[in-house]
Amino acid sequence: MKNILFTASECTPFVKTGGLADVIGSLPQSLNKTQNTKVKVILPFYDEIPSHWQSQMEQVASINVPIGWRNQEASISMLEHNGVDYYFIANDYYFTRKGVYGYYDDGERFVFFSRAVIEALPHLNFTPDVIHAHDWQTGLVVAFAKILQPIPDIKTVFTIHNIKYQGIMPHDMFDDFFNLSMSHFGGLEWNGVLNCMKSGIFHADKVTTVSPSYAEEIKDPFYSEGLHPLLLEREDDVSGIINGIDTGDYHPLKDPYIHVNYRHSRAKKKINKEHLQKTLNLAVDPDKPLYVMITRLVEQKGIHLMQRILDEFLEEEVQIAVLGTGDFEFEDFFYHAGQRYPDSLSVQLTFDEKLARQMYASADFFIMPSQFEPCGLSQLIALQYKAVPIVRETGGLKDTVTPFNEITGEGNGFSFNNYNAHDLLETLRYSLKVFHDPVQWIQLLKNVNKSQYSWKDSANEYAQLYEELEHVNIYS
Ligand code: ADP
């Protein structure tokens, strides 16, 4: 039995801003159920965590966390949920705030959290064989684990969920936040500044990312956000394991949030669509194809392409529903577009899990034209709710969506290669053509119905990786 400690900055059902939370909320459960592992998870305690979860936590210990020359107190509490022990590190100064990220001192907050994870190790009621850290917020957990060796021979895995966000700080924070000798500066620094993502990649025994294609892409300057030299150096230790989703939770037959539950039935999906059209004040016409986007409204998600072609595509007999939050430029654009097309375009600028599920359940198509996409969970959720994904061929989108081929009858979606608005428009128009061709449409839906991305295979791959770590010599 391998003891694994997951550490991350978000996790469903406690706190979520994106796909990372879905992964941390479902992979440990799947590992504990299907593999010979005991996974525990350690997270920051945010004010945002709903009170019914907070009231289930039990305090385990109080610890002192050294931050440079200072000491901060932290308390550790714990709850058990679906076979996984979750630990939460609380500190009023760093985490009793509104929201999750976006503060000027986010770097310092996660230096604190990372060091606190190390100090918390004696209080977790197990000795981890492996620390598995996720994204920049916990890159320093890996660095501290290697430098301070709180557990002799501890092994580490660092997973990159999105290399765009690296957690950088001015280099002079090294003295302020880390009581480490200068010999360790080089392992934390990149291009003259402290970089938490680099620290994780540099110190981890194994580095993974969330799809095989993205693992290749990030060695290229176009995708690497400057870190390709390091990734090329560590090439032999970098691999891609595709994310899954919790297919028990995202399940149209059981989902309590949706209007009518269904397995494959298009008729029942139409009832959901009609209900959604009423909820969103769209023209009620369940025969009209509905295209949905549920996304952070940021450049990464290909929003610029949608901006270019929205008016042209809305000349067709279609409806589009957008749910998202993000950059002002995009929120503003969609808000005004929504005013111009009240019958055919709905724009909801909010984060709403229930509405998201109703939209997946109602959608005929799910649009995701990302500039880059490490894995993408939304297209997997869409497939699970029998909405046909339309994606750009990048990262995990390329690994999970195969373009429909009307000759061979293969494919579970639509895709285009170049990051070009009119290629997206052509693909959308082609999807509409297939929608109106009963023979092809039924064939495509058959393929969609067969596409399932549960954690089964990927959990197995992670378990194998943890086994391989036995043979890593930490002093090499
Ligand atoms: P990323 O993590 O880059 O944002 P993913 O596709 O991996 O993208 O995961 C996004 C997750 O967040 C999905 O579960 C998606 O349904 C959800 N999501 C995104 N925006 C919203 C929103 N405005 N309201 C509800 N859920 C959202």
Side-chain angles (χ1 to χ4, degrees), residues 74-92:
S75 91
I76 309 170
S77 44
M78 182 257 184
L79 63 76
E80 194 263 321
H81 173 61
N82 284 347
V84 178
D85 291 347
Y86 295 90
Y87 290 86
F88 298 85
I89 292 182
N91 170 288
D92 282 350

Side-chain angles (χ1 to χ4, degrees), residues 374-387:
C375 177
L377 295 180
S378 308
Q379 84 280 14
L380 307 183
I381 303 169
L383 283 166
Q384 180 74 0
Y385 285 76
K386 318 305 168 201

